[in-house]
Amino acid sequence: MSERRTMDNFYEILVIASPDETDEGIDAIIGGMRQQLAASSGDVIDINRWGRRKLAYPIRKHTEGVYLLIHVAGPAALPGEFRNYTKIRESILREMAVRLSDLQVEAARQAIAERGPVDEGLAESQM
């Protein structure tokens, strides 16, 4: 986990991917998102797979989706650039990025630390 730069904001991004994707497909989606976030000067802190869950309402005729929670530090333009990236990806049903307050950042960092270190090998293979 890298240190937060002072000019960066800390974002929590929730992504819902198509339930039709295989595990390899989800890895490819994560890899593409990692690359996009890095291209937008983002520093991916953590990606947490929540797995397949029921949607509150159907999206593109799907009643389930694969949920991914991403924590990333980056500039203010990052959410807009990420949104533009996800709009053209058919395998991504929805995304939502929220800038966290300092108190929320500390809570998120604590939750990430409790979950354990990021598997760097997996992160490299996804890129």
Side-chain angles (χ1 to χ4, degrees):
M1 188 166 40
S2 57
E3 289 300 313
R4 181 178 168 199
R5 295 172 291 209
T6 56
M7 67 180 148
D8 287 345
N9 296 308
F10 195 90
Y11 296 99
E12 190 170 77
I13 302 173
L14 181 66
V15 175
I16 304 173
S18 170
D20 299 334
E21 291 293 332
T22 63
D23 286 342
E24 293 80 22
I26 296 297
D27 284 344
I29 290 169
I30 291 171
M33 290 187 302
R34 281 184 185 278
Q35 290 175 343
Q36 171 58 37
L37 291 166
S40 299
S41 301
D43 182 20
V44 177
I45 308 299
D46 183 59
I47 296 181
N48 186 4
R49 290 181 186 219
W50 286 359
R52 184 181 299 261
R53 294 177 181 234
K54 186 171 173 53
L55 300 172
Y57 55 88
I59 301 173
R60 295 189 215 151
K61 299 184 182 180
H62 293 289
T63 57
E64 291 185 328
V66 178
Y67 283 67
L68 305 165
L69 183 66
I70 305 167
H71 288 99
V72 61
L78 186 131
E81 292 173 11
F82 186 73
R83 186 170 295 113
N84 290 338
Y85 170 80
T86 60
K87 275 184 179 179
I88 59 173
R89 303 290 181 269
E90 289 185 22
S91 56
I92 298 176
L93 303 178
R94 288 284 190 274
E95 59 77 31
M96 181 177 72
V98 177
R99 185 176 60 85
L100 300 181
S101 70
D102 289 340
L103 215 55
Q104 292 169 321
V105 169
E106 292 308 314
R109 287 190 184 276
Q110 183 177 356
I112 292 167
E114 288 172 2
R115 205 169 42 252
V118 174
D119 184 350
E120 295 298 331
L122 178 61
E124 286 297 317
S125 71
Q126 292 168 338
M127 292 291 278

